[in-house]
Amino acid sequence: MGRVARALVLHELLERTRDRWVVVVSVVFALLASGVSLYARSAEASAERLTGPSLVTLVGLVVPLIALVLGHDAIVGERERNTLGLLLSLPISKLELVMAKFVGRCLALCLALAIGLGAALAFAEPVQRSVLAALIVPTILLGVAFLAIGVLVSATTRRQITAASIVVVIWFLFVFFYDLGILGVLVITDGQVSTNIVAGLVSANPAGLFRVEMMLRFLGPGMLDNLPSNVELPTRLGSAAIWAGWIALPPLVSALLLRLERGKR
Amino acid sequence: MKSVALSNVSVRFGKLAALTDVNVAVGEGQAVMLVGPNGAGKSTLIRVLLGLVSPDSGALSVDGAARRVDNRFKQQLGYLPEAVAFADNLTGRQVALFFARARGVPKSQVDAMLERVGLSHAARRAVRGYSRGMRQRLGLGIAILAQPALLILDEPTGGLDQEGLTVLWSVLAEWRSQGRLLLVATHDIALMERRIDRVCVFSAGRVLADATPAELRARAGLAVKVVFSVATEVEARALADGLRGRAHDVVVEGEAVSAGVTPAELLPLLELGAGSSAVRGVRVIEPGLDDVYERLLGGAA
């Protein structure tokens, strides 16, 4: 990574930590995560079994939103401020520029998640701490995947308000309507769709993959008891490939789009 | 870098010919002004130089040798975009520090730059609270931060108050005196004309004219206005009668007489004035470069 890219990573991190929206959403996440921790703690005997699934639900809802908000103005924001050309007049390639912005925002996201999960940890009983520790890496993967999608949206739009609207639609689609859509398909086909296809479809969505992986971890393979024994969930390698695809492809496509762009600033 | 030239550059965006066979060169210590209506191709030319747009044909040369717009070339550039805004949740100093880090400029020079563009007092304030002129000054400061060999300014006068203009004039003077290169796209022709060496007039993606302001004036053939001062209105009327037939648009305004002449008719008219005992003073007003520009564009249409 060159000097300009390194400077841009730091600049992005600084800028994001001063973004009011990011600060507000991160504080809300920290409050909710602490609330879950406190509530599960009051349940005493079942603290461990309550904390995991509750936090998975919370993270699955809130983290994609934080990440999309963080990513949506990465490129279009510079475009609107007339600074994209200024940045590209520095000795930096378009790929480096997109990657530096992505990495800088990843760091800001990790900071926001650290505050949220850290707050939950502060109120947790020792028995809950292992649950929270198990959540850290998957939560980061989930956030980074949605951040990458946000960056792609920012590279394909001309106005920040358009990008903001699109990421909200994407959040609803991936977090709510995707599973509803799969259910709809099952209802329409009277359950004739193969369970492997359903499992594949669920796992192809980063929000779905996160939920499946975390529920398996916290509830154990017993949660699959109601499914046919031959259902194939992604292997570790498959799961890693899905995460890698969602994290790496959107920024690469963004850089490619920027490279192909000739007529606009 | 002693000179930069774009030769026979053509750029098409789909069916639109943004630039057609454009030649623009900036020599040592020269300030070249790009003028033309919106959409004439000035910004596209700048974007070609910044590497934001790859031309369909044409070449860039630096000091006579063919070059690509690569990182080595970009290291020698300073750029002020039109109506630049910056991240509004950072302070002016934080924004400047980023560009200093990116350009490898020592941190200590950032404060000196902010002082030079008159933003020291607002350096630790969020850009959100800056006026348009203050943002423009910050942009100008960032453009000159690394003392680039080639400074490209897109509409630099936009939003600037008198203090900001004074800073801009000092930067232009410094760049020219130190033999560095300047390329300025502007609509403020009247403001800029005394600070530049050459003018490129753009229209519909082509260069209509590329000349010094004096050459452009001569080419446009616009009338020069001569104003004679006399002691009384009676003398003014008598002088006006003597001028009619030798000049056009002869007008008496109190104790002054103004007349329009072509550049070729100027000297005989001045001699006539010098020969009159009533004349106490003479002023020659050349046509403004904006009038010349209007004439050139009118001719092109």
Side-chain angles (χ1 to χ4, degrees):
Chain A
M1 192 180 272
R3 183 182 64 211
V4 182
R6 284 197 307 274
L8 190 53
V9 167
L10 287 176
H11 182 66
E12 285 296 309
L13 176 61
L14 184 70
E15 197 188 329
R16 288 308 98 201
T17 52
R18 276 155 180 74
D19 185 323
R20 286 175 189 169
W21 276 103
V22 175
V23 171
V24 167
V25 183
S26 305
V27 168
V28 168
F29 174 58
L31 289 173
L32 290 173
S34 313
V36 167
S37 228
L38 280 169
Y39 175 71
R41 193 168 140 175
S42 66
E44 288 182 3
S46 55
E48 192 182 355
R49 289 193 70 80
L50 263 177
T51 310
S54 307
L55 276 177
V56 167
T57 307
L58 176 67
V59 167
L61 283 175
V62 180
V63 170
L65 185 62
I66 298 177
L68 286 166
V69 168
L70 258 172
H72 86 281
D73 64 340
I75 306 296
V76 74
E78 301 290 354
R79 218 188 279 281
E80 275 201 348
R81 295 194 295 256
N82 255 356
T83 43
L84 186 57
L86 180 58
L87 285 180
L88 287 169
S89 74
L90 298 169
I92 188 171
S93 70
K94 289 173 181 172
L95 177 64
E96 276 183 300
L97 176 112
V98 172
M99 286 304 174
K101 283 194 149 274
F102 179 54
V103 172
R105 283 165 195 244
C106 280
L107 294 177
L109 175 71
C110 289
L111 194 65
L113 297 180
I115 292 168
L117 294 178
L121 204 63
F123 297 105
E125 294 281 1
V127 70
Q128 294 170 285
R129 292 203 175 126
S130 62
V131 172
L132 282 161
L135 260 173
I136 293 172
V137 173
T139 301
I140 290 172
L141 286 176
L142 176 72
V144 173
F146 275 93
L147 178 67
I149 297 170
V151 169
L152 178 59
V153 171
S154 80
T156 53
T157 44
R158 298 273 158 230
R159 295 185 61 208
Q160 210 168 310
I161 186 77
T162 313
S165 312
I166 292 174
V167 295
V168 170
V169 171
I170 286 177
W171 180 66
F172 273 107
L173 278 178
F174 277 66
V175 174
F176 294 107
F177 297 128
Y178 190 85
D179 290 351
L180 285 177
I182 294 174
L183 277 176
V185 170
L186 284 171
V187 169
I188 290 166
T189 59
D190 201 17
Q192 293 303 302
V193 180
S194 133
T195 46
N196 281 334
I197 290 179
V198 173
L201 284 172
V202 169
S203 307
N205 173 359
L209 182 61
F210 170 78
R211 275 198 304 272
V212 169
E213 285 186 339
M214 289 297 91
M215 289 303 179
L216 270 175
R217 189 163 210 154
F218 294 130
L219 302 178
M223 69 169 272
L224 301 175
D225 283 352
N226 293 330
L227 291 173
S229 55
N230 62 344
V231 65
E232 279 179 25
L233 290 172
T235 58
R236 279 190 153 218
L237 195 63
S239 164
I242 295 171
W243 284 122
W246 279 112
I247 289 168
L249 282 180
L252 289 175
V253 174
S254 306
L256 185 68
L257 290 174
L258 214 56
R259 206 179 147 82
L260 294 174
E261 192 176 281
R262 297 182 71 230
K264 304 276 195 280
R265 218 177 313 215
Chain B
M1 190 190 288
K2 304 278 184 206
S3 68
V4 171
L6 285 168
S7 317
N8 304 111
V9 170
S10 295
V11 174
R12 292 192 72 85
F13 298 133
K15 287 183 181 169
L16 175 77
L19 293 175
T20 308
D21 275 334
V22 166
N23 293 290
V24 172
V26 190
E28 189 173 358
Q30 259 192 358
V32 174
M33 175 164 74
L34 310 178
V35 296
N38 293 329
K42 309 182 297 287
S43 295
T44 304
L45 184 92
I46 288 177
R47 278 148 67 189
V48 169
L49 264 177
L50 297 173
L52 303 178
V53 170
S54 315
D56 296 306
S57 61
L60 166 74
S61 59
V62 175
D63 300 337
R67 276 284 291 274
R68 281 178 51 236
V69 181
D70 52 14
N71 284 350
R72 204 157 60 93
F73 176 71
K74 289 205 272 185
Q75 258 158 5
Q76 297 172 290
L77 290 184
Y79 171 50
L80 169 66
E82 182 184 358
V84 67
F86 299 113
D88 59 8
N89 48 354
L90 297 183
T91 67
R93 192 168 185 277
Q94 284 169 331
V95 171
L97 275 173
F98 156 64
F99 284 97
R101 254 186 239 117
R103 291 261 183 215
V105 174
K107 217 171 168 179
S108 55
Q109 286 183 28
V110 168
D111 293 320
M113 176 277 280
L114 289 167
E115 174 82 42
R116 175 166 190 187
V117 297
L119 285 178
S120 294
H121 66 287
R124 290 174 198 278
R125 258 170 44 201
V127 173
R128 153 179 336 114
Y130 280 24
S131 66
R132 188 180 165 208
M134 289 166 84
R135 287 170 201 228
Q136 190 77 351
R137 277 197 244 170
L138 179 60
L140 179 63
I142 285 166
I144 62 171
L145 196 54
Q147 298 285 302
L150 170 60
L151 184 57
I152 301 172
L153 308 175
D154 197 354
E155 296 297 346
T157 53
L160 287 183
D161 56 9
Q162 194 49 50
E163 196 189 342
L165 285 174
T166 307
V167 174
L168 176 63
W169 304 150
S170 81
V171 168
L172 298 185
E174 182 186 323
W175 249 248
R176 290 167 77 190
S177 68
Q178 293 183 352
R180 284 181 275 190
L181 322 179
L182 261 165
L183 194 63
V184 186
T186 187
H187 290 293
D188 267 333
I189 301 167
L191 268 178
M192 294 293 297
E193 69 165 291
R194 284 192 295 121
R195 277 107 188 163
I196 48 100
D197 301 291
R198 268 195 16 256
V199 187
C200 286
V201 183
F202 278 72
S203 176
R206 291 176 187 274
V207 175
L208 277 188
D210 180 356
T212 64
E215 286 168 347
L216 278 185
R217 277 196 184 90
R219 195 183 301 179
L222 288 174
V224 178
K225 190 175 175 184
V226 183
V227 183
F228 296 99
S229 305
V230 290
T232 65
E233 212 170 318
V234 176
E235 284 177 344
R237 266 191 241 111
L239 181 65
D241 290 340
L243 292 177
R244 286 191 183 102
R246 297 166 192 257
H248 44 85
D249 301 330
V250 179
V251 178
V252 176
E253 294 162 346
E255 287 93 42
V257 182
S258 66
V261 287
T262 64
E265 295 165 338
L266 178 61
L267 205 57
L269 193 78
L270 291 177
E271 282 169 354
L272 184 80
S276 164
S277 56
V279 174
R280 304 200 164 183
V282 182
R283 245 177 346 126
V284 177
I285 304 168
E286 280 194 302
L289 205 52
D290 41 358
D291 299 323
V292 173
Y293 165 75
E294 296 287 337
R295 168 66 65 94
L296 285 169
L297 281 188

